Amino acid sequence: MPGDSNKSEGQGPASSPLPHSMNLSKRLLQPSRYVPVSAATFFLVGSTTLFFCFTCPWLSERFSVAVPIYNGIIFLFVLANFCMATFMDPGIFPRAAEDEDKDDDFRAPLYKTVEIRGIQVRMKWCSTCRFYRPPRCSHCSVCDNCVEDFDHHCPWVNNCIGRRNYRYFFLFLLSLTAHIMAVFGFGLLFILYHHQYIDRLHAIVTLAVMCVSGLFFIPVAGLTGFHIVLVGRGRTTNEQVTGKFRGGVNPFTNGCWKNVAHVLCSSQAPRYLARKRYVQSVCVQPPFLRPQLSEAQQTAKILDNGLRGDLHRSKSSLDMQESQSCDAEPPPPKWELRYPGITRGNYNMLNKTPPTPTMYKYRPTFSPGKNHTPLTHAYANQVMHQPGFRSQPSLDRGDTSSDRAGRVAGGERKESGEGGGIPGYSLHSYTSFSDPVVLSGVASQSSGSMQTSACAAQISETTTTSSSFKSLANQTPPPTHPAHNGSLSYDSLMAGDDGFDKAVSAGSKIPEISSGRPCSPAAGGYMSSSHPSKQRDAEMHSEFPKHHHLLLHRSASSTCSSPPERETLLVESQRSNRPSPFCQTSVPPASSAQHPPHHQHHHHSHHHHHNHHHSHNHRHHHSSSTSHPSRFIAPYLPHRPYPHRACSTDTPLGLTSSSTHHPSHSPHHPPLGKSLSYSSAAAAEMQYQLIRKASSAAGENAAGVAGGIQAPKSTRWNCSDGPARLFFSSTASTSSVSHCAILSNGPLRAGVQKLTGGEDTTYEIYV
Amino acid sequence: MRPFKLWQQAAIAAKVFIQRDYTNGTVCQFQTKFPSELETRIDKQQFEETVRMLNNLYAEAEKLGSHSYIEGCLACLTAYTVFLCMETHYEKVLKKIAKYVQEQNDKVYAPRGLLLTDPIERGLRVIEVTIFEERSLTR
């Protein structure tokens, strides 16, 4: 029969050699596999032949010659489709090459989730074929192959039914039903006209043929009807039988008509095995062209990329050999020496700082984002690493002015934000937080730069973050995994840096912390890394207005919740220009449901952070440096379920840890976190509740206003007045807190209202 | 196993795999996200342009148009014997894709020490980008 011949083997000679050949011989020696197909062939051909020989001659004479012609055509159709269904390659995937699967099996997660038209679909790792099965692909145990769009393994044709031969199988069923009906009908007609000659041979044979066809008609018609429904619904037998979309939405359907058209009218899908290989003659010879530096800067770097791009400039090869600030600090040990198990594929992504151990848990391959994940960690560590070196002020200075800013801010905000990023970062490094003028200047600068850079970085960012989190989200955590969420802090411990850096690096899985890139989806995703909802959040976040993207990173510590987003949105919008209410309304308020499952994770991660952050705060907070409590509202929010943690004076978990997550996001963050650490428990609790009740955006709004506008008075925010300061001025905490409580329960109007009272100006945050 | 002849003056440093983009279902599309390993080797725009072009070509191959409909009818009428003589629409586009990949390799990727592998050789699951080491005699 024309087409691909693939009866029992299941793959052609061009696929990987040994296992297949062995299976081939085994399969050939299995006679039981051929019984059904032999029986089917026998009955089909035999009955039809008898029909043509004994019944049709009389019918053609008695009625018309069209009868045998019609039957002949239908039978030919049946045979053609039967042969195509039997011998055609159903769409077998060749085994993946060894280098495609760089990681060991044990380290790879079993499932990878992919979002198809808004629906999460799981891709399972096929240990035989060595790749993650594409959606709708399944491994046939009979044929020992992964088949694309796997429908079922049909014993009657002794072949898998997949993408390539489903049409022929379906047409075979249709035509066979028609054929059986025709044979039965014409045989009945013959018998009706020969009832008095029933003992003659022709009649007996016709009766036998009628019995066979009548017997087979019921299952064949049932199967045909079943597949007609499947085709109309756009499902495979495998999906129907396993109940994948029972009560749910099928992401693979395009509507009944298009589904039918796809089955019947689409072009014949290509064979993957046994293809003619065209030898490509390519000359690959160094020296190689390299993209120019300016181009590298201009390319929108995803999360980590931007930072690494600058780092790469100093490198001539893929190896990350020296840190950019090699003058300031000794370069970390080479990647291989630290992690000999890591293959080269991931090597070039790693930076001076050691990658976090959690990186290994994630399967770096099979996702473009995968490679970014370790880099994210590495860079996060690195970035956070720098400011923490209080003992090396030269580091900050040297880095800040050129490398740091360029790396952190410039790298990420390629097109525009370099100017804004540098001063912002330098502020962060230094203790110039207490200079409100500088801060406000930075705020406006950074906001402007953030907007532009966010625009540029947004598109690639979102896809990257979402994709990188795909690799993160659906990994089956190994038994040691529960530590991972908190293990980010362990990474910092490994780094051996100060607590702040550790906490920061641990918390900020999103690499571009400093430049406020739209990493909040990543951040949110990270927080609930085990939840696929994170991906949805990431996607959700990616749709936000560009200039809000930068804000989102602040809520990185939040568990992919929109309220933190709203907070951050409002903060930034307040800062740059008046926020439009749409940014709140555009945020779906439904993230609260996601918090309960996430907070545990989040809590866990923060739990490790506060200790580090605490030490860091001691370092950062010289005097009552200006802090911007508003900025910490957003990160604070995710800690809602654990108000006590946030409230505790010695372990300001939510506030401080959240601030640690984004120390470099803005120069304002660290002082704020530090100030919050001194808040009283009650005030913090009240504040926490206020945050819960009011929309987080409102709170962020007020905070942002307070932070941005109140720069000259920002010193007051740092005082040990308590968390109530987040919402109000630093007057008596209790009164303001109570006032705050009332206000927060007010109408849901976004905005911040300035209320004068006491010695300070009080801001009412309402949603 | 990869049957391209290299005048081997470069060793393979790493391989990057561009995965499929399943956001629109099982339509053959590849992710246009720029992998980090290629940052220092090629422009982002250039790379994305290549992937986008490939995606367009695959979309053209899988398009349900009159072309594929007529081909299906013809195949039915001739009991699929037409497949012996005629090339299917998909195969024609695959040839176009192979030519495009070859051309991209020659013009863009090989000078930068990269090599694209036709995804059909990987079962249309990944685009394999081989990164070559920049080893020169002076080093």
Side-chain angles (χ1 to χ4, degrees):
Chain A
M1 204 54 209
D4 311 320
S5 172
N6 174 28
K7 190 174 167 75
S8 57
E9 292 81 44
Q11 67 268 352
S15 57
S16 44
L18 190 55
H20 290 223
S21 54
M22 279 164 47
N23 291 335
L24 179 63
S25 55
K26 281 187 200 155
R27 286 199 291 270
L28 282 175
L29 298 174
Q30 286 176 354
S32 58
R33 288 183 62 190
Y34 300 90
V35 169
V37 63
S38 309
T41 312
F42 170 75
F43 279 112
L44 175 66
V45 176
S47 307
T48 309
T49 309
L50 290 175
F51 173 79
F52 277 116
C53 291
F54 291 91
T55 315
C56 277
W58 179 84
L59 284 169
S60 64
E61 289 167 21
R62 178 68 177 80
F63 296 101
S64 153
V65 75
V67 169
I69 290 173
Y70 167 77
N71 280 289
I73 290 171
I74 290 198
F75 180 60
L76 196 64
F77 203 58
V78 169
L79 271 185
N81 286 303
F82 179 73
C83 290
M84 291 295 265
T86 303
F87 297 113
M88 178 170 268
D89 182 333
I92 293 170
F93 283 112
R95 301 283 199 265
E98 290 80 14
D99 51 8
E100 192 175 331
D101 168 33
K102 284 181 256 182
D103 295 324
D104 298 334
D105 278 325
F106 72 88
R107 259 195 312 163
L110 191 59
Y111 291 99
K112 221 170 57 145
T113 302
V114 137
E115 178 145 338
I116 301 177
R117 295 181 187 169
I119 293 159
Q120 303 291 320
V121 173
R122 239 170 29 165
M123 303 201 311
K124 192 175 176 185
W125 169 259
C126 185
S127 49
T128 313
C129 304
R130 317 285 298 168
F131 53 76
Y132 284 96
R133 292 181 199 145
R136 309 195 104 179
C137 164
S138 188
H139 192 93
C140 175
S141 51
V142 179
C143 307
D144 195 28
N145 289 306
C146 269
V147 176
E148 188 175 10
D149 288 1
F150 180 78
D151 192 83
H152 67 285
H153 181 91
C154 183
W156 305 105
V157 297
N158 193 29
N159 195 15
C160 283
I161 307 299
R163 178 186 175 191
R164 296 187 76 229
N165 62 353
Y166 182 77
R167 178 197 324 176
Y168 308 115
F169 176 75
F170 183 65
L171 290 174
F172 166 66
L173 285 179
L174 285 176
S175 55
L176 186 62
T177 309
H179 180 61
I180 289 175
M181 288 196 299
V183 166
F184 189 85
F186 286 116
L188 187 64
L189 197 62
F190 181 92
I191 294 297
L192 287 174
Y193 275 80
H194 290 83
H195 62 272
Q196 58 268 49
Y197 309 108
I198 203 84
D199 52 342
R200 285 178 47 187
L201 179 66
H202 289 245
I204 294 170
V205 168
T206 306
L207 269 176
V209 168
M210 272 177 65
C211 286
V212 168
S213 57
L215 265 174
F216 277 105
F217 176 75
I218 295 165
V220 170
L223 194 60
T224 306
F226 175 68
H227 277 274
I228 288 171
V229 170
L230 285 187
V231 167
R233 286 171 137 186
R235 292 189 194 179
T236 64
T237 305
N238 191 24
E239 289 163 356
Q240 179 71 31
V241 163
T242 56
K244 277 201 182 120
F245 308 122
R246 193 182 305 150
V249 183
N250 182 3
F252 304 109
T253 182
N254 299 315
C256 180
W257 183 241
K258 281 198 178 152
N259 293 337
V260 174
H262 174 71
V263 167
L264 296 180
C265 305
S266 62
S267 182
Q268 175 65 51
R271 186 177 53 195
Y272 298 134
L273 303 175
R275 288 193 68 83
K276 268 189 259 178
R277 296 231 173 136
Y278 301 100
V279 176
Q280 272 194 21
S281 300
V282 175
C283 178
V284 178
Q285 181 180 356
F288 299 134
L289 297 176
R290 294 282 183 164
Q292 295 169 14
L293 287 182
S294 59
E295 295 170 0
Q297 284 178 342
Q298 285 165 5
T299 47
K301 301 285 200 278
I302 55 177
L303 302 179
D304 49 307
N305 274 352
L307 305 172
R308 288 185 306 109
D310 290 341
L311 292 168
H312 279 285
R313 283 183 219 151
S314 61
K315 293 163 183 46
S316 57
S317 71
L318 298 173
D319 299 339
M320 307 285 285
Q321 285 155 5
E322 296 179 45
S323 71
Q324 228 170 346
S325 60
C326 55
D327 299 328
E329 57 172 331
K334 274 189 94 77
W335 213 89
E336 307 97 334
L337 302 176
R338 287 176 297 185
Y339 299 100
I342 298 300
T343 57
R344 277 205 95 187
N346 305 327
Y347 175 80
N348 58 347
M349 293 181 300
L350 294 178
N351 215 329
K352 319 162 217 196
T353 53
T356 63
T358 52
M359 169 173 55
Y360 300 110
K361 305 308 173 185
Y362 304 110
R363 183 169 178 77
T365 53
F366 293 97
S367 151
K370 67 171 161 79
N371 290 327
H372 299 299
T373 308
L375 180 64
T376 298
H377 289 289
Y379 196 82
N381 292 336
Q382 184 206 15
V383 170
M384 294 309 109
H385 189 80
Q386 299 302 341
F389 275 151
R390 292 301 169 214
S391 55
Q392 301 179 13
S394 61
L395 173 68
D396 290 334
R397 281 170 227 279
D399 283 340
T400 301
S401 52
S402 57
D403 298 327
R404 177 58 53 110
R407 218 183 309 141
V408 172
E412 295 174 2
R413 310 175 190 179
K414 293 298 178 185
E415 282 91 344
S416 55
E418 291 196 17
I422 295 173
Y425 196 87
S426 57
L427 280 171
H428 173 64
S429 309
Y430 299 127
T431 61
S432 55
F433 303 113
S434 50
D435 185 358
V437 176
V438 180
L439 284 173
S440 49
V442 169
S444 54
Q445 228 175 348
S446 56
S447 59
S449 63
M450 272 191 268
Q451 286 187 1
T452 49
S453 61
C455 299
Q458 179 189 3
I459 295 169
S460 59
E461 293 296 326
T462 59
T463 54
T464 304
T465 56
S466 57
S467 59
S468 62
F469 283 102
K470 279 176 192 166
S471 58
L472 296 174
N474 300 299
Q475 293 154 3
T476 311
T480 59
H481 212 62
H484 283 312
N485 294 330
S487 64
L488 287 175
S489 60
Y490 299 149
D491 305 330
S492 50
L493 287 171
M494 280 174 53
D497 297 328
D498 59 42
F500 173 75
D501 293 336
K502 291 175 207 174
V504 167
S505 58
S508 58
K509 200 167 185 188
I510 301 89
E512 30 84 352
I513 299 158
S514 57
S515 56
R517 301 188 77 182
C519 62
S520 63
Y526 166 67
M527 284 311 172
S528 55
S529 62
S530 58
H531 291 269
S533 61
K534 157 179 73 172
Q535 292 181 355
R536 287 190 285 270
D537 289 321
E539 315 241 335
M540 197 170 66
H541 300 341
S542 63
E543 293 162 2
F544 286 177
K546 296 174 204 165
H547 77 279
H548 294 301
H549 257 288
L550 291 169
L551 307 177
L552 298 180
H553 71 267
R554 293 192 194 134
S555 61
S557 59
S558 70
T559 57
C560 68
S561 54
S562 50
E565 261 176 0
R566 269 172 288 175
E567 286 182 327
T568 54
L569 285 173
L570 285 174
V571 174
E572 191 55 28
S573 50
Q574 280 286 350
R575 176 163 300 190
S576 51
N577 39 33
R578 295 302 304 167
S580 52
F582 85 91
C583 57
Q584 292 173 12
T585 56
S586 65
V587 175
S591 61
S592 58
Q594 299 162 353
H595 288 286
H598 299 163
H599 72 248
Q600 213 164 28
H601 178 121
H602 193 60
H603 168 74
H604 193 62
S605 54
H606 287 295
H607 183 68
H608 303 276
H609 299 164
H610 66 262
N611 290 323
H612 307 303
H613 184 73
H614 191 60
S615 58
H616 169 73
N617 282 335
H618 284 300
R619 237 185 315 236
H620 279 287
H621 191 73
H622 315 90
S623 60
S624 60
S625 53
T626 57
S627 61
H628 297 263
S630 60
R631 289 182 181 273
F632 289 90
I633 290 177
Y636 185 62
L637 268 185
H639 302 283
R640 293 178 205 175
Y642 298 91
H644 302 289
R645 284 188 164 272
C647 297
S648 62
T649 50
D650 56 345
T651 60
L653 176 65
L655 299 173
T656 56
S657 56
S658 57
S659 64
T660 61
H661 287 293
H662 311 280
S664 58
H665 282 292
S666 78
H668 318 292
H669 279 188
L672 177 60
K674 190 171 190 233
S675 63
L676 290 173
S677 65
Y678 299 126
S679 56
S680 62
E685 171 97 38
M686 176 71 73
Q687 175 190 5
Y688 193 84
Q689 285 171 1
L690 289 174
I691 295 169
R692 291 180 71 169
K693 287 181 181 169
S695 93
S696 58
E700 196 62 12
N701 205 348
V705 171
I709 300 173
Q710 273 289 63
K713 296 182 185 175
S714 55
T715 53
R716 274 193 284 265
W717 292 82
N718 309 339
C719 294
S720 56
D721 280 345
R725 285 178 296 136
L726 289 180
F727 298 95
F728 306 93
S729 61
S730 57
T731 46
S733 57
T734 52
S735 60
S736 57
V737 166
S738 57
H739 187 58
C740 171
I742 295 166
L743 291 172
S744 62
N745 291 330
L748 287 180
R749 283 174 300 129
V752 173
Q753 192 176 11
K754 181 176 166 182
L755 312 167
T756 55
E759 55 181 276
D760 289 340
T761 306
T762 303
Y763 286 91
E764 168 199 356
I765 303 162
Y766 59 92
V767 178
Chain B
M1 51 159 263
R2 174 73 178 88
F4 54 76
K5 289 186 283 185
L6 294 180
W7 281 276
Q8 292 236 2
Q9 309 217 6
I12 294 175
K15 284 194 180 181
V16 189
F17 295 97
I18 314 298
Q19 298 291 325
R20 277 273 293 270
D21 178 17
Y22 292 111
T23 51
N24 288 325
T26 49
V27 179
C28 185
Q29 271 181 338
F30 290 93
Q31 297 185 358
T32 51
K33 198 167 63 78
F34 189 54
S36 53
E37 296 91 331
L38 298 180
E39 270 175 19
T40 58
R41 306 300 289 253
I42 192 169
D43 296 335
K44 181 176 190 283
Q45 287 83 2
Q46 182 76 55
F47 175 79
E48 282 180 359
E49 175 59 36
T50 305
V51 179
R52 259 187 233 117
M53 185 63 185
L54 284 175
N55 287 342
N56 291 339
L57 286 170
Y58 283 116
E60 181 198 331
E62 296 181 351
K63 200 163 67 98
L64 294 179
S66 59
H67 207 293
S68 56
Y69 181 69
I70 291 168
E71 192 179 275
C73 285
L74 195 64
C76 253
L77 293 173
T78 63
Y80 309 113
T81 52
V82 72
F83 289 143
L84 288 172
C85 354
M86 201 180 75
E87 211 176 41
T88 67
H89 172 64
Y90 210 117
E91 288 287 342
K92 285 189 194 135
V93 179
L94 282 180
K95 276 201 178 145
K96 234 203 294 188
I97 289 171
K99 243 178 39 180
Y100 176 75
V101 168
Q102 168 84 36
E103 172 212 334
Q104 287 284 297
N105 273 336
D106 288 336
K107 288 193 191 152
V108 177
Y109 289 87
R112 290 171 170 79
L114 301 170
L115 207 61
L116 287 182
T117 303
D118 196 340
I120 194 68
E121 298 184 19
R122 296 283 176 267
L124 289 183
R125 289 182 300 106
V126 289
I127 303 176
E128 184 183 316
V129 183
T130 313
I131 303 172
F132 289 94
E133 265 181 13
E134 190 153 5
R135 256 196 256 137
S136 72
L137 295 173
T138 57
R139 290 193 189 174

